[in-house]
Amino acid sequence: MSMGTQALLIFLLIGLVAGFLASLVVGGGGLIRCLLSGIIGAFVGGFLFNALGISLGIDNVLVVQIIHATVGAIIVVLIARAIA
C-alpha cells in the first residue's frame, strides 16, 4: 500500500469516526451521511481551530484530528439543518 493510499484511508476513517460522533451529538442518519459530514467537518474544524488559534494541548495527533473533525461536523450538520 502506497503512502498516498494509506493517508487517504486514514482521512476517510477519521471522517467516518467524526461523522458518527457528530451524529450521536446532534442526531443523524446512515453511513454515507456520517462519512460526508465527517469529511467536510474535518476541513471546517481544522480551518476554524487554526484561524482562531485554539490549541487543545493534546500530544496525540490522531485524537486532535478526530476532535477537530467532530466539532466541524457538528457545525456543518447544524448549519445544514438551519438552511433546510
Side-chain angles (χ1 to χ4, degrees), residues 3-84:
M3 191 63 159
T5 305
Q6 185 178 8
L8 179 63
L9 288 175
I10 291 171
F11 181 73
L12 291 175
L13 182 65
I14 289 171
L16 185 61
V17 170
F20 174 74
L21 292 173
S23 73
L24 290 177
V25 174
V26 294
L31 180 67
I32 300 298
R33 182 175 286 172
C34 286
L35 183 61
L36 287 176
S37 66
I39 289 172
I40 296 169
F43 289 109
V44 171
F47 173 77
L48 287 177
F49 275 82
N50 284 333
L52 297 174
I54 299 172
S55 175
L56 300 176
I58 301 172
D59 291 333
N60 191 333
V61 177
L62 186 61
V63 172
V64 170
Q65 289 177 346
I66 290 173
I67 292 171
H68 287 182
T70 302
V71 170
I74 291 170
I75 292 169
V76 166
V77 170
L78 290 177
I79 289 173
R81 286 186 182 171
I83 292 172

